[in-house]
Amino acid sequence: MNELTEIKGIGPSTASKLAVLGIRTACDLIRTFPVRYERHVLTPAKAAPIGTAVAIQGVVVQSASVAYIRKRLTKLTLDVLSDGIVFRITAFNREFLRPALAKGAELVATGRFETGRKQFLANDIVLSKNYREGIVPVYGLEGLSDRLFAKFVAAAIPLSPEAAKETLPARILQSRRLAPMQEVLAYVHQPRDEAEISAASRRVKYEELLRFGLAVKTQKRKNDAVVTIPKKYDIERVRAFITALPFELTDDQKQATNEIFLDLKKPRRMLRMLQGDVGSGKTVVAAIAVYAVHTVGEQTAFMAPTEILARQHAQNLTRLFAPFGVTVAYLSGAVKGAERKRVIDGLASGTLHVVCGTHALIQEPVVFKRLGFAVIDEQHRFGVAQRKILREKGYDPDVLVMSATPIPRTLAIALFGDMDVSTIRALPSGRKPIKTDVTDFTDFQRLADAIAHEIAAGRQAYVIAPLVGSDAESDAYSVPEAVELLRGHMPSGINIASLHGQMKSADKDAIIDAFRTGETDILVATTVVEVGVDVPNATVMIILNADRFGLSQLHQLRGRVGRGGLQSFCHLVTDVARLEEGRLAILAETNDGFLISEEDLRRRGPGDVFGEAQTGMPAFKAANVIDDRDLLEAAFTDASTLFDDPDHLARILVGEAASAIDAYHLD
Ligand code: ADP
Ligand code: MG
């Protein structure tokens, strides 16, 4: 029993049904919003288009009867006169309507005429007196009809004044022209026109974004309050290091480097995101900062999402740092024995300056002499969890997170508001854009020929498959099936190797080394190669079942080719039906990672693009961060003004934001 049973029509069984849906109070009921709206207009039977959903009013001329077709399937039929014609209405699993649909009853049926105007397949039948013309909310709740639910809501509204209590300060409602809560509830559940729906939706989205903005900014204020010892790096040595690089930094790289250096000098902890497309030169910027930190005698932990990438960072940094006396090591669970001891001892005594590893690195039983800096190469994820673990271990280093899913600056500031953001927009000059096309499997021979052509010219290829092993349930390619497919279409004598994340580290390393040295022509792999494998001689990539991947992920994947000065190609293969969706077309049109991630965000939302648990970004219920970007910016601007606002609703919002930090995983 609960207060819901006080509502007319709700008995114990309906109440327990509602409880399963998380609806336990009148307030919960009222705050359950429709997922969409249907527009109901009556259509005269003779004018109803065949095969299109319409609502038709009529009189029963032959009472309804029910046939039991099989378990859980009944068929209700009746004849109806409408607009001067008589036709048969069929509805499945509506046997409970039979008593009401006796001869002479007036009804409205929603559904469609099948072939001619003799048979009408209904998905809903109501008596005319219960029919509501106009906009009808659809709640989509399991086991509860929309009509019934709307009735409960209408009955609940007077019982629960707290649901209609305003949550936003009057100042904000006014300046943003937002509908007050009282009106919103009526608009949401009983909209009279489209304007009411959009007013309600705008208010609901705004509030959702405002609450998120407040949580993000609360976290930011906490971060900024941490006082640290400024790092007085040796600028002369840093300059010498930059001069020794084999290239000139791009303007964007210089700017990002400056922003990082300002952070290092400040008496507060750095928490900065460095974002830029694959190959835009983020790692080199991070390396300069690592070197600066080294000049003050502090160590760096450099973390990457995969072992392959971590090992590669270790190799690159070793090469870069060797002439400058900076020592670098690689550590993972797979590093054992004497080497493990050497690394652990070196970090504890301070003879090792930089350690690279996966994100598990900080969970290793390592002790640093003076950990001053953490670089987290996250690609899609952000360093929230890592930061927390480091803090729990007693370290509070400056943190630089690198993201290869770059987003427009205004959006980044809103979405990653607890971090400062540096952006590398332009790629180093001389990069040739990867030529990309989207095609279907019937065209596979052409692709195989294209690979063979590149291999004959001394180049190498990647083929990406979505699955590790075959799965009878799935129509997607696995790595072994992809190998099979290739063998069927390629000349013999071509060396094919396969790679996936479930292999042993040593095996993975051996396979990548063989590809790097050119011994292997084609590497068939899962998305393990998404980041890190750097083989400039590879010029072609085929991605099988490309529709299985997010746009940003596909862009990351193809970033494995086009790394040398050679023209490179990417072929996205999918089946015809999915090709028609056109989602993948943007990859063929542009190589700009900013545009691609924006499109990805529009389609999937930040929770899916970046990984909800990792970023603190919720899967917004109402708002879309791209389509509602103006609202997002407004909400984030307003959020900043609430911290010092004495208004009691502002105080409540700020308080709730502080407790929401956990829910958003921001801490
Ligand atoms: P990211 O980490 O952003 O993917 P990297 O730092 O790995 O990019 O750089 C990709 C490649 O470009 C590397 O081989 C790097 O040495 C090179 N590179 C970086 N900056 C420049 C530059 N300013 N000019 C030319 N090449 C550069
Ligand atoms: Mg990189």
Side-chain angles (χ1 to χ4, degrees), residues 499-522:
L499 178 73
H500 58 76
Q502 291 172 16
M503 293 173 149
K504 285 209 203 91
S505 296
D507 295 345
K508 277 193 268 194
D509 293 348
I511 285 163
I512 289 171
D513 287 341
F515 191 60
R516 194 171 285 136
T517 57
E519 203 181 304
T520 305
D521 299 308
I522 305 180

Side-chain angles (χ1 to χ4, degrees), residues 282-283 313 377 379:
K282 296 181 294 295
T283 309
H313 277 316
D377 190 358
Q379 307 291 340

Side-chain angles (χ1 to χ4, degrees), residues 363 385-396 667:
Q363 276 150 330
Q386 288 82 4
R387 252 149 60 195
K388 198 164 188 170
I389 296 169
L390 282 171
R391 254 199 328 272
E392 281 161 3
K393 291 181 89 173
Y395 300 111
D396 206 2
D667 189 19

Side-chain angles (χ1 to χ4, degrees), residues 140-201:
L141 298 171
E142 179 86 21
L144 273 171
S145 85
D146 291 329
R147 210 163 349 118
L148 204 55
F149 192 79
K151 258 193 197 160
F152 296 159
V153 171
I157 288 180
L159 294 182
S160 176
E162 96 214 65
K165 255 199 210 144
E166 188 49 64
T167 47
L168 297 180
R171 167 176 72 83
I172 301 257
L173 292 179
Q174 238 162 38
S175 68
R176 297 294 176 192
R177 297 165 183 279
L178 295 163
M181 186 58 102
Q182 190 94 40
E183 287 173 27
V184 165
L185 290 178
Y187 292 174
V188 159
H189 294 294
Q190 295 138 10
R192 284 168 301 191
D193 56 30
E194 302 295 332
E196 290 190 348
I197 294 179
S198 62
S201 136

Side-chain angles (χ1 to χ4, degrees), residues 267-286:
R268 65 169 192 86
R269 189 178 53 200
M270 175 195 328
L271 186 50
R272 180 170 290 278
M273 176 160 70
L274 174 60
Q275 59 162 6
D277 223 329
V278 242
S280 59
K282 296 181 294 295
T283 309
V284 101
V285 170

